[in-house]
Amino acid sequence: MATTLIAPRAASGGWRHPGAEAYPNAPISYYAELARKAEEGKLDYLFQPDQYRVSATTDHEFQHMVNVWPEPVTLLTAMAALTERIGLAATISTTYNEPYHIARMMATLDQLSGGRASWNIVQSVGELEAPNFKNDHRPKQEEREAHSVAFVDIVKGLWDSWEDEAIIADKESGIFADPRKVHAIGHESRWFSVKGPLNIARPPQGHPVLIQAGQSDSFKERAAQTADVVFTMLNDLTQARQFYQDVKQRLSQYGRTSEELLIMPGLHLHVGTTMEEAREKQRYLTELERMDIRLDRISHLLGIEVAEPMLDGPLPLAQEGSATAKYKRNKELADREGWTTVRQLYQHLEKSFGHLTLVGTPVQIADRLEEWLANEGADGFTYIPNILPSGLDDLVDLVIPELQNRGLFREGYEHTTLRGHLGLPRPRNRYEKAD
């Protein structure tokens, strides 16, 4: 069973929990402790989310919620020096970046970590991040998927621009590289102009592991073609099985096998030595969070930017060019079900499409996880602790030993690279001549 840890970008009222450390005074020590604990638990990788703005949109949210967090690539590069085996996944948007920069940063992280880097590929949704960037050359909302597809292909081409055998470094002959194995990619298009080659050698993994998140049909097709890991939001086993089968059956048309793409839905846990203790943990955290409704969370679920006055107002029209595909689907659902306000739609989506949340003892939780694995609802899980560091302790000290007892979780790392941990093949270089 593959398992990863998301270090939450921010929390709502949960930052006040005695077991939470939302704003560490010594961040390098704090994150190092988390990384080492996750590595002690033999997790596959750490996953750092990100966005290019604060989460707050109101004075209330600035006053009561956490709105600061470290930049992922810098943080995970530091963690590479303090860990040995665990993978390191950074969230980077294709909307407000350039392919050459991302190819170079992720190749460097892969080199420095000995092949443990991963890129969580996202497109920025809405326009709340736009004021932080000069925006006249950025893709419009409806163009961002096509823009992202082209972006990722360029990055992969840059990773391949130095073949594995290109660097000779022969001091006696004075030959550093074989120019026949170094390639300019020569990409020219509406959005990009990238000559190449990259100025760093091919990553140890060939390509860092590519993570993508979503649920739409267009996403499923894109993931089947290019993703290594799918992070998604599913909490019903029947729906999870349908999603799993749908994505996996698309792989063959791209010459891929089922084992070459892992589906790892999000997971929340409330763990106790008894069910009563677990429920009390959940109740206490819920009380802390109840006072705050994060508008960024509502916006994410709906697929449209939501301001506080909109909550009990009518749902906006899903006009062409002014709404995301996600919101258009949600608006169609609301129209069918008779939900007329933003709050009504949000409450349904939170309940129906949130992450899998399990409450119970380690045995009870392991039973549910085993059920999902045995019935092809998931290949593994992306653990999103409600609070850190105590939420990670619950996973590593209580749940993982029970999974290990059942033979569902590794006792030790068998590989040194993240692709090795996940059982993923190393991609062939596109410029390498076939044998």
Side-chain angles (χ1 to χ4, degrees):
M1 181 182 89
T3 304
T4 182
L5 166 71
I6 285 189
R9 180 185 67 242
S12 52
W15 68 269
R16 299 163 56 214
H17 193 285
E21 189 171 357
Y23 183 60
N25 292 320
I28 191 70
S29 299
Y30 171 71
Y31 284 103
E33 180 183 345
L34 291 179
R36 288 166 178 154
K37 185 70 176 184
E39 193 166 60
E40 175 190 325
K42 307 301 184 292
L43 274 64
D44 290 291
Y45 57 96
L46 300 172
F47 184 147
Q48 184 68 21
D50 196 28
Q51 63 186 28
Y52 304 140
R53 64 177 180 89
V54 295
S55 296
T57 56
T58 66
D59 287 347
H60 175 81
E61 290 179 336
F62 271 114
Q63 185 175 22
H64 296 289
M65 300 176 186
V66 178
N67 281 286
V68 290
W69 59 90
E71 188 280 315
V73 177
T74 307
L75 171 64
L76 294 175
T77 301
M79 293 304 100
L82 300 174
T83 56
E84 295 180 355
R85 296 293 186 93
I86 195 163
L88 306 161
T91 298
I92 309 174
S93 171
T94 56
T95 307
Y96 298 108
N97 282 291
E98 291 292 331
Y100 198 94
H101 289 319
I102 303 312
R104 191 179 185 212
M105 287 192 294
M106 294 308 301
T108 300
L109 179 58
D110 208 47
Q111 294 279 5
L112 294 177
S113 65
R116 295 186 281 139
S118 175
W119 175 21
N120 176 41
I121 305 164
V122 299
Q123 305 158 33
S124 295
V125 176
E127 299 300 329
L128 290 179
E129 293 173 323
N132 292 323
F133 302 89
K134 184 171 174 55
N135 207 40
D136 55 3
H137 65 294
R138 303 292 175 183
K140 297 178 181 178
Q141 185 67 54
E142 63 271 19
E143 298 174 322
R144 288 181 185 175
E145 182 172 325
H147 173 272
S148 186
V149 169
F151 189 114
V152 173
D153 188 62
I154 294 168
V155 170
K156 291 163 70 175
L158 287 167
W159 285 335
D160 287 344
S161 62
W162 289 76
E163 293 185 35
D164 292 325
E165 306 301 324
I167 297 177
I168 299 168
D170 188 323
K171 293 184 178 181
E172 185 173 341
S173 66
I175 296 176
F176 179 77
D178 182 347
R180 296 170 301 176
K181 296 185 178 183
V182 184
H183 306 275
I185 69 170
H187 180 97
E188 291 287 342
S189 64
R190 173 186 174 189
W191 291 305
F192 307 109
S193 177
V194 185
K195 180 183 177 181
L198 202 60
N199 58 356
I200 184 170
R202 193 168 193 241
Q205 295 184 104
H207 300 165
V209 171
L210 300 180
I211 305 169
Q212 297 190 47
Q215 286 180 293
S216 68
D217 280 340
S218 62
F219 166 77
K220 293 174 187 174
E221 198 66 29
R222 188 169 74 253
Q225 185 175 7
T226 63
D228 296 309
V229 175
V230 167
F231 170 47
T232 191
M233 189 180 294
L234 296 165
N235 59 26
D236 176 81
L237 180 54
T238 299
Q239 293 177 351
R241 294 187 70 226
Q242 292 170 350
F243 179 90
Y244 186 100
Q245 292 166 6
D246 188 355
V247 174
K248 295 279 188 170
Q249 63 87 23
R250 297 172 191 248
L251 292 168
S252 60
Q253 63 184 308
Y254 300 108
R256 306 179 70 194
T257 66
S258 178
E259 293 75 22
E260 292 179 46
L261 175 65
L262 303 181
I263 297 175
M264 298 176 62
L267 172 67
H268 291 301
L269 297 178
H270 299 278
V271 190
T273 55
T274 65
M275 176 60 84
E276 290 72 24
E277 180 185 339
R279 286 175 175 160
E280 175 57 25
K281 283 185 175 183
Q282 182 185 38
R283 185 203 63 77
Y284 180 54
L285 185 64
T286 301
E287 285 298 316
L288 290 175
E289 295 183 332
R290 184 166 291 163
M291 62 175 287
D292 298 317
I293 296 178
R294 292 198 72 107
L295 294 178
D296 65 319
R297 167 70 176 168
I298 299 175
S299 299
H300 173 72
L301 283 175
L302 268 63
I304 193 171
E305 292 167 14
V306 175
E308 194 168 14
M310 296 170 58
L311 287 176
D312 294 305
L315 287 162
L317 297 176
Q319 297 175 342
E320 290 295 328
S322 63
T324 64
K326 184 177 186 179
Y327 179 70
K328 291 173 185 176
R329 293 193 304 273
N330 286 332
K331 181 62 165 62
E332 291 174 359
L333 173 64
D335 291 343
R336 289 196 303 269
E337 299 294 332
W339 303 317
T340 59
T341 70
V342 169
R343 191 184 300 273
Q344 287 173 333
L345 177 56
Y346 158 69
Q347 289 174 338
H348 168 78
L349 294 176
E350 186 73 72
K351 180 179 179 181
S352 300
F353 299 108
H355 293 297
L356 176 64
T357 299
L358 301 181
V359 184
T361 66
V363 169
Q364 291 169 322
I365 287 171
D367 286 343
R368 290 291 304 282
L369 297 179
E370 185 171 10
E371 180 185 18
W372 275 58
L373 294 168
N375 288 280
E376 296 188 334
D379 294 307
F381 299 92
T382 302
Y383 177 52
I384 311 169
N386 298 295
I387 51 176
L388 284 172
S390 61
L392 177 58
D393 294 337
D394 286 346
L395 175 69
V396 172
D397 298 336
L398 301 176
V399 177
I400 286 179
E402 179 59 33
L403 295 171
Q404 290 171 330
N405 290 339
R406 303 177 185 212
L408 297 174
F409 204 87
R410 65 169 64 90
E411 298 280 349
Y413 291 111
E414 298 178 0
H415 301 274
T416 59
T417 70
L418 180 53
R419 286 188 174 274
H421 299 339
L422 298 172
L424 297 171
R426 188 176 189 268
R428 184 184 180 90
N429 192 310
R430 68 176 65 184
Y431 298 110
E432 182 181 331
K433 293 181 180 179
D435 296 331

